[in-house]
Amino acid sequence: MKYNGMYALAIASMLAVGCVEEKKEETAFAKAETENSFDYNVDQFADVKILRYQIPGFEELTLKEQKLVYYMTQAGLAGRDIMWAQNYRHNLAIRTALETIYTSEAVEKNGEDWDAFVTYLKRVWFSNGIHHHYSNAKLKPGFSADYLQKLVTDSGATLEGEAFDVIFNDKDNKKVNLSKDADIVLESAINFYGPDVTTAEVEKYYEAVKVDADTPIEKGLNTRLVKENGKLVEQVYKSGGLYGAAIDNIIGWLEKAKGVAENAKQEEALGLLIEYYKTGSLETWDEYCIAWATSTEGNIDWINGFIEVYNDPKGYKGSYETIVQIKDFDMSKKMAALSTDAQWFEDNSPLMEEHKKDSVKGVSYKTVIVAGEAGDASPSTPIGVNLPNNNWIRQTHGSKSVSLGNIINAYNNAGGSGRLKEFAHDEEEIQLEETYGQLGDKLHTALHEVVGHASGQINKGVGTPKETLKRYKSTIEEGRADLFGLYYLMDPKLQEIGLVEDWEKTGKAAYDGYIRNGLVTQLIRLELGDDVEEAHMVNRQWVSAWAFERGQEENVIEKVTRDGKTYYNITDYKKLREIFGELLRETQRITSEGDYEAAKALVEDYGVKVDQTMHAEVLERNKQFKSAAYSGFVNPMIVPAMEGGEITGFTVEQPQSFEEQMLSYAKTYGTLK
């Protein structure tokens, strides 16, 4: 589970884990002072800003540790094409053609159509395909089919048939379609299922797959479900199987990494990961997850595999994702108190007693320095991650929660846009955000990942949330973790354990920002008339809207209209905390009991539909700002120095442009067709 990087954009300009991208639009809106002359900004186009990040502390690692970082980043990039293929069946063909056109010397590269083509290509690169990375809507080209056909002909590129037509027609319009009236599998373009497979067929197929009740595998996690001769079969991601060419390269780099592991536990985990990629066995995947979750020593760690299921409308299939991490010792020490007191947070939460865990196992929380990302984590990145996702492993063996410290720092230092002053209710709210907002966001990320996702338990005999809550599983889980964090952000316990100097002001800033984003500022990411569909955005809206309605009688959150503009002003923070606690209790009940109808009502009634008058107002007010709604990153390049065929050291270099890195990646790691 990941905490989305959109929450970070809301910390950077004004801060979103997987759980998932900017949860508090305004922190990201607050102006941040750069710490040095490092240029964090790379490019801006359409609704996207490209940033770069540093890897502080890399030079202090031993050569062996640096090799481990390098090999793991290469292993991650070796699987980059998998994410493109998973996102849509024609993505790789389209990307190859667009890149051929872009690099061709035979193409006339000027004029409005060419500028529109370049913007479209950059958007496709950023989204790992032709569907928007966040809204899931198909990207719209600003040029005609005739113009693209001329570019294809002039450059000698190959793009024809459905792969060409889909850029311009109304087919496959949503990568993930979670509309309540849709056949969410058949009408989603995501390539986890054959194009003729229906939701009913998926449900029937996986209901027939029997797993151990106490230690269930994540069935379907690493397969594509298709029809062959009218019969459903799984194509397994493994060496010799689906995506085998890329997976073989991943294995090659993991073998090198295993040879420089920091300790025996790391070596064991890497060995199991290699075996998993070779066999595709989900039993081996569970063994790996246990070894990885319990491997807590050393300076280097990683996330690697088919992990998050947000892109699957049914919540079975994992997207390829990798993050390579270096431990930030100072910040990890400061935040260790959350892990130490995880049981206290569970015991004192407003959950029903029968839904609380008697023993919160092995929650490890660290702030880390990212050294490289790929797949579902790049270019758009989370800012926090909590894994593994398999609930029985988390309960029995523990989990790891990480905050991506240098990514958050890059967001904060990339500059602001002034949106805070536009959308905050008054000067007091602005001052709270500017003084306490970033810390409040960091704490919410930590609470969300460490104690939020680790909290609560499923009633005995109730199926997993993906089986019981179905399409609402992801947004309910993200909202549940958000609510756990929100409840404790206004608790003096945070000051008692040394995480804040003023718990009340920090909590107020966090509450202001969450409501402001959930009810107002996240709407800048939607086109007028659109519903809210992305799981994190949906959960922020249903949490905020439910809390607003629940407190209306006592005017807990006041809706203010001033000079034709709408604001939300929290009048009673203590009461709002009680409301968050009430909703947390209910959300945990829904999860523990598998109450599908209650989940559906909560999400559909509060999380999906948008007040169109309010939306139009927000978009109009936002026109004055030039900063893009979304941010992502190029990766630093870790370059080995060689002598006599041996690596003797490394330098860290920054790419000069987004297109330079994307073209280099395609040339170096493009193994799939």
Side-chain angles (χ1 to χ4, degrees):
M1 287 161 279
K2 69 173 73 169
Y3 209 47
N4 206 290
M6 302 305 302
Y7 198 31
L9 182 48
I11 42 187
S13 303
M14 63 169 193
L15 163 140
V17 55
C19 298
V20 48
E21 296 102 340
E22 162 197 66
K23 274 196 180 158
K24 228 188 111 210
E25 193 58 24
E26 297 79 1
T27 301
F29 295 158
K31 178 72 174 176
E33 296 297 325
T34 55
E35 296 175 335
N36 50 45
S37 60
F38 183 79
D39 186 3
Y40 289 90
N41 294 287
V42 177
D43 197 359
Q44 183 166 319
F45 49 88
D47 58 353
V48 170
K49 180 163 61 175
I50 303 295
L51 308 176
R52 54 171 65 92
Y53 62 91
Q54 298 172 292
I55 316 177
F58 179 80
E59 65 284 352
E60 298 170 15
L61 299 175
T62 67
L63 179 58
K64 183 180 179 182
E65 290 169 335
Q66 290 179 343
K67 287 181 179 180
L68 179 57
V69 170
Y70 173 69
Y71 294 147
M72 291 304 296
T73 57
Q74 293 300 303
L77 290 166
R80 174 178 180 258
D81 275 3
I82 297 174
M83 187 71 243
W84 284 77
Q86 288 182 313
N87 275 342
Y88 183 55
R89 63 187 180 278
H90 294 308
N91 273 341
L92 288 171
I94 292 170
R95 188 190 78 191
T96 299
L98 298 183
E99 290 174 344
T100 299
I101 292 168
Y102 185 81
T103 56
S104 172
E105 295 182 358
V107 170
E108 186 176 339
K109 301 177 181 179
N110 54 58
E112 291 183 3
D113 282 340
W114 176 254
D115 291 343
F117 171 82
V118 172
T119 296
Y120 180 74
L121 173 56
K122 288 180 179 181
R123 298 187 76 189
V124 170
W125 277 332
F126 189 83
S127 296
N128 294 317
I130 66 168
H131 296 88
H132 194 278
H133 73 288
Y134 210 65
S135 75
N136 289 314
K138 190 165 63 176
L139 299 171
K140 296 178 181 179
F143 49 87
S144 68
D146 288 343
Y147 179 71
L148 181 59
Q149 186 59 64
K150 183 178 187 307
L151 293 179
V152 168
T153 301
D154 291 349
S155 66
T158 301
L159 189 64
E160 56 190 4
E162 188 179 57
F164 181 99
D165 295 340
V166 76
I167 296 174
F168 302 97
N169 64 26
D170 61 355
K171 303 289 180 61
D172 295 331
N173 277 336
K174 283 282 187 180
K175 183 173 73 173
V176 182
N177 187 346
L178 293 177
S179 172
K180 66 178 181 179
D181 298 321
D183 184 313
I184 59 175
V185 171
L186 189 64
E187 296 179 49
S188 292
I190 194 75
N191 195 27
F192 291 138
Y193 303 98
D196 55 350
V197 176
T198 68
T199 301
E201 288 172 326
V202 172
E203 291 175 348
K204 183 178 179 180
Y205 182 89
Y206 283 113
E207 283 171 3
V209 177
K210 303 305 179 185
V211 298
D212 187 282
D214 296 321
T215 58
I217 59 170
E218 296 175 84
K219 54 186 176 183
L221 183 71
N222 62 336
T223 65
R224 180 173 183 257
L225 186 64
V226 300
K227 289 181 181 176
E228 293 182 0
N229 300 318
K231 182 180 179 181
L232 287 172
V233 297
E234 287 187 303
Q235 299 173 329
V236 182
Y237 312 155
K238 65 175 183 175
S239 177
L242 189 60
Y243 311 138
I247 289 172
D248 285 342
N249 287 339
I250 295 171
I251 291 171
W253 287 108
L254 290 177
E255 293 279 12
K256 291 178 180 290
K258 183 170 176 280
V260 291
E262 294 181 90
N263 51 60
K265 196 69 176 177
Q266 273 190 357
E267 185 176 358
E268 177 194 6
L270 286 168
L272 287 166
L273 183 57
I274 291 165
E275 183 65 17
Y276 164 65
Y277 276 127
K278 287 181 177 179
T279 65
S281 165
L282 289 174
E283 288 80 8
T284 302
W285 171 249
D286 280 353
E287 291 178 40
Y288 161 72
C289 287
I290 293 168
W292 176 82
T294 56
S295 174
T296 57
E297 301 299 322
N299 297 331
I300 315 302
D301 208 343
W302 61 84
I303 292 163
N304 187 299
F306 307 104
I307 298 172
E308 303 292 0
V309 298
Y310 304 115
N311 286 322
D312 179 5
K314 289 302 300 175
Y316 288 105
K317 312 296 180 183
S319 295
Y320 177 76
E321 176 182 6
T322 73
I323 303 174
V324 183
Q325 314 153 5
I326 303 168
K327 186 175 180 181
D328 183 330
F329 293 96
D330 180 56
M331 283 304 299
S332 295
K333 183 178 179 181
K334 290 178 181 178
M335 301 302 286
L338 287 179
S339 302
T340 302
D341 285 315
Q343 191 65 55
W344 183 92
F345 288 105
E346 182 80 358
D347 293 343
N348 290 276
S349 72
L351 306 185
M352 298 178 188
E353 290 303 316
E354 61 268 29
H355 297 157
K356 294 180 181 180
K357 286 181 179 176
D358 293 331
S359 177
V360 180
K361 299 281 187 178
V363 181
S364 166
Y365 183 78
K366 296 177 181 177
T367 297
V368 299
I369 303 301
V370 172
E373 300 178 308
D376 200 27
S378 180
S380 179
T381 172
I383 59 166
V385 183
N386 179 275
L387 294 171
N389 282 332
N390 198 327
N391 196 54
W392 76 264
I393 296 177
R394 298 164 63 83
Q395 290 192 12
T396 307
H397 300 280
S399 62
K400 289 179 180 177
S401 291
V402 295
S403 174
L404 311 186
N406 58 331
I407 296 296
I408 295 172
N409 184 64
Y411 276 124
N412 289 337
N413 282 311
S417 64
R419 290 187 178 97
L420 173 62
K421 293 183 179 180
E422 174 63 38
F423 292 103
H425 171 253
D426 55 24
E427 188 61 31
E428 180 184 3
E429 186 174 327
I430 294 169
Q431 288 299 317
L432 280 171
E433 178 62 40
E434 290 180 340
T435 306
Y436 299 98
Q438 289 188 21
L439 177 57
D441 288 330
K442 289 180 181 179
L443 284 173
H444 193 202
T445 302
L447 288 163
H448 174 111
E449 296 293 349
V450 180
V451 293
H453 283 308
S455 68
Q457 61 184 358
I458 309 298
N459 289 2
K460 193 170 181 61
V462 175
T464 65
K466 77 172 61 174
E467 296 166 330
T468 59
L469 304 184
K470 301 180 181 181
R471 72 180 70 186
Y472 303 109
K473 177 259 181 185
S474 292
T475 192
I476 289 293
E477 175 56 24
E478 293 308 312
R480 191 185 70 85
D482 260 7
L483 285 161
F484 208 97
L486 288 165
Y487 182 76
Y488 280 113
L489 278 166
M490 282 290 289
D491 196 301
K493 178 71 172 180
L494 298 183
Q495 191 163 334
E496 177 188 321
I497 60 179
L499 295 180
V500 297
E501 293 183 359
D502 190 323
W503 65 269
E504 188 170 18
K505 289 182 179 178
T506 303
K508 285 182 176 181
Y511 277 23
D512 287 341
Y514 194 91
I515 294 298
R516 188 168 57 239
N517 190 35
L519 295 180
V520 183
T521 54
Q522 71 172 6
L523 296 178
I524 69 172
R525 299 188 188 89
L526 301 177
E527 293 187 13
L528 190 63
D530 285 355
D531 289 341
V532 185
E533 295 189 50
E534 195 279 331
H536 299 82
M537 288 182 70
V538 171
N539 94 244
R540 293 194 288 271
Q541 178 164 297
W542 64 251
V543 168
S544 301
W546 191 95
F548 172 71
E549 182 181 282
R550 184 67 169 143
Q552 267 190 309
E553 187 174 326
E554 298 178 67
N555 204 34
V556 176
I557 304 173
E558 178 185 22
K559 185 176 182 179
V560 178
T561 301
R562 186 172 63 245
D563 299 327
K565 298 179 179 181
T566 305
Y567 306 87
Y568 287 89
N569 178 46
I570 301 171
T571 65
D572 190 334
Y573 293 91
K574 182 179 179 181
K575 183 62 179 179
L576 181 55
R577 187 194 186 210
E578 293 175 7
I579 291 172
F580 284 146
E582 182 182 349
L583 184 54
L584 170 59
R585 182 184 177 94
E586 171 61 9
T587 308
Q588 181 62 58
R589 185 201 65 76
I590 290 171
T591 302
S592 296
E593 298 178 3
D595 190 340
Y596 173 82
E597 291 301 326
K600 178 181 177 181
L602 183 59
V603 174
E604 296 294 345
D605 291 350
Y606 296 95
V608 175
K609 295 300 178 181
V610 177
D611 181 319
Q612 294 305 305
T613 302
M614 180 66 181
H615 193 185
E617 176 197 317
V618 170
L619 293 178
E620 183 63 32
R621 291 165 67 182
N622 188 61
K623 285 181 179 179
Q624 63 187 293
F625 305 112
K626 304 304 180 185
S627 180
Y630 302 93
S631 290
F633 291 86
V634 290
N635 289 304
M637 300 174 293
I638 301 174
V639 182
M642 307 295 294
E643 187 174 315
E646 296 293 325
I647 296 176
T648 58
F650 294 90
T651 57
V652 177
E653 302 175 6
Q654 293 289 341
Q656 294 305 302
S657 68
F658 182 49
E659 49 266 54
E660 173 195 331
Q661 182 152 95
M662 294 299 98
L663 291 170
S664 173
Y665 281 176
K667 180 179 180 180
T668 307
Y669 308 107
T671 55
L672 302 179
K673 303 298 181 184

